Amino acid sequence: MATSSWTDWPHEFTLSGATDFAQDFPNLQPNFCQGNISPATDEYNCFAWAASITSDRWEPDPLGQFFWPQTVMRSYELDSYIAAFRTVGFEVCSNGSLENGIEKIAIYVDGGQPQHAARQLENGNWTTKFGDFEDIEHTDLACLHGPVYGSVHLYMWRPRGLSGSRKGAPNIGTSLR
Amino acid sequence: MQTSDTCLMVDPDINPYPASTGWRRSPYTLYRPVGRSRAAYYGPRPARPVSNDWIKPKCDFRTIEKTAHVQVTEGSDEVEFDRLVGEWKREVRSKSLMITIAMHPAYQQMMGMGPKVLPFIFERIKRSDEKAYQWFWALAAITRQNPIPIEMRGKIREMTRAWLRWGQEHGYVVLD
């Protein structure tokens, strides 16, 4: 994976060509981004991607179309998202600093409701899936603050190496944190 | 409109039965109640130069215009459908949540058009399954059905096939 910062938006990042891109993400500049860009897909969304799941879209829609853990109430409130991420091993923590052996996610909230989630990589950068567009690696979280995603409101963590599972919570120790 | 009402298919642009003669327009037809006299419903018939001429069409559109009229009506619905779809798709490009899309005014208006948009939706899904998930909310809301079993929720390609199967079973789309 290339690690040099971008000086311009690569053409693979098709969202950057949208007419309202600069308005939606006023703080996002190419030099905040690094690495490869995955192909655009609609098969998973940012919340599934934050849990390292690429087979499902996660959303608590009231009509029961998309995946949401069965034990969690289908609600767009933050508590519902926290409970959903708990089913794949995450717990609330206080910050997004890089810690050895720990995988963290950041939940962006706007208007009291979660709008986006990003996942921390082992190198300290964050990975974000943009809607149905590509996912990219970015160096900090504030670069996504804006009218679409709001701002980071909450961090969660789990031991690194736990892959997401839709079958339920992985068996993790409680003494880690 | 009662099924026993007198019902004629007419050309929408050449209306031989103005409302003043007791006929009323439904989306596809003109009609007036039968079994009781016209006068009982609408009062004395206005004087006309030719006796009884008002109950006879100038020409018989019953067979020749039905298809054309329906096509015209569906065509305008489809134009409106396309306009609304274009509007919300332009404005929700980077949004992650389906609820954001579904709450868009144009998406709401599209759902408000009711079951007549189902063939258009299924045709779009059949033509390209890219972003097919954006239709599932509307399909579930309009049909009040959910053919997606729990274990399939969130798996977009499988959900797409399940909805297309449902659409075929209910006559909204013909699959190859």
Side-chain angles (χ1 to χ4, degrees):
Chain A
M1 176 182 288
T3 55
S4 58
S5 295
W6 299 342
T7 55
D8 202 358
W9 293 120
H11 70 274
E12 294 94 338
F13 185 37
T14 59
L15 178 63
S16 63
T19 52
D20 48 3
F21 174 72
Q23 179 184 330
D24 288 348
F25 301 99
N27 300 305
L28 185 58
Q29 301 297 327
N31 60 320
F32 288 119
C33 303
Q34 297 181 345
N36 294 331
I37 304 169
S38 73
T41 177
D42 61 3
E43 297 203 23
Y44 58 93
N45 61 0
C46 61
F47 295 108
W49 180 241
S52 301
I53 291 171
T54 57
S55 57
D56 309 317
R57 288 187 77 89
W58 278 36
E59 179 161 349
D61 66 295
L63 298 174
Q65 296 293 296
F66 302 107
F67 175 74
W68 202 245
Q70 284 188 62
T71 54
V72 180
M73 185 173 64
R74 298 183 81 91
S75 159
Y76 285 96
E77 299 301 316
L78 180 59
D79 286 348
S80 175
Y81 283 80
I82 293 172
F85 281 116
R86 279 186 172 138
T87 67
V88 286
F90 285 97
E91 283 297 334
V92 175
C93 63
S94 59
N95 63 67
S97 62
L98 180 64
E99 296 181 55
N100 192 28
I102 300 296
E103 181 178 53
K104 294 185 178 180
I105 60 173
I107 299 177
Y108 291 73
V109 172
D110 187 40
Q113 292 188 335
Q115 302 293 328
H116 181 66
R119 171 165 46 88
Q120 193 176 43
L121 300 169
E122 285 185 84
N123 62 6
N125 289 339
W126 298 81
T127 181
T128 271
K129 172 79 162 68
F130 287 95
D132 297 331
F133 290 86
E134 299 81 8
D135 50 71
I136 66 167
E137 185 177 331
H138 48 103
T139 54
D140 76 359
L141 294 168
C143 65
L144 297 187
H145 288 182
V148 176
Y149 290 159
S151 56
V152 174
H153 188 81
L154 184 80
Y155 299 96
M156 299 184 79
W157 74 278
R158 70 180 176 184
R160 194 168 288 284
L162 283 183
S163 61
S165 164
R166 52 185 290 172
K167 292 193 169 140
N171 183 20
I172 61 171
T174 55
S175 60
L176 287 169
R177 204 102 188 128
Chain B
M1 185 176 64
Q2 299 296 316
T3 53
S4 59
D5 288 351
T6 301
C7 182
L8 289 175
M9 187 60 57
V10 298
D11 187 310
D13 296 325
I14 308 172
N15 180 3
Y17 304 108
S20 62
T21 65
W23 292 86
R24 296 291 183 268
R25 183 184 287 280
S26 76
Y28 303 124
T29 62
L30 289 174
Y31 66 92
R32 70 180 176 110
V34 294
R36 298 174 64 182
S37 71
R38 175 198 167 282
Y41 276 98
Y42 308 114
R45 190 173 67 204
R48 296 184 65 85
V50 180
S51 176
N52 288 335
D53 189 48
W54 65 278
I55 62 169
K56 295 177 183 175
K58 303 290 184 196
C59 61
D60 187 355
F61 293 103
R62 279 173 291 192
T63 55
I64 63 174
E65 289 297 337
K66 181 173 183 179
T67 303
H69 191 180
V70 169
Q71 284 174 346
V72 167
T73 304
E74 288 183 351
S76 59
D77 285 341
E78 189 164 16
V79 168
E80 177 65 0
F81 172 81
D82 287 343
R83 185 187 70 77
L84 293 170
V85 171
E87 191 175 321
W88 61 258
K89 277 190 176 283
R90 263 195 314 278
E91 296 178 15
V92 300
R93 287 171 60 93
S94 57
K95 305 293 190 294
S96 293
L97 291 172
M98 189 56 222
I99 192 173
T100 311
I101 300 170
M103 291 302 122
H104 189 281
Y107 196 95
Q108 292 279 306
Q109 289 177 57
M110 183 268 294
M111 287 195 294
M113 293 173 72
K116 63 187 173 187
V117 300
L118 292 175
F120 309 144
I121 293 177
F122 281 112
E123 188 57 36
R124 290 254 181 158
I125 297 175
K126 179 186 167 186
R127 211 181 327 159
S128 168
D129 62 0
E130 185 186 2
K131 300 190 180 185
Y133 77 90
Q134 294 182 341
W135 300 110
F136 299 158
W137 184 301
L139 289 174
I142 294 171
T143 66
R144 302 184 187 184
Q145 302 291 317
N146 187 2
I148 309 300
I150 290 176
E151 64 275 13
M152 195 187 290
R153 287 178 179 173
K155 298 189 178 302
I156 302 303
R157 299 285 91 80
E158 294 177 35
M159 294 170 70
T160 303
R161 286 193 288 274
W163 268 115
L164 281 173
R165 272 197 305 275
W166 186 93
Q168 185 178 38
E169 288 167 7
H170 291 77
Y172 291 111
V173 65
V174 178
L175 302 180
D176 299 330

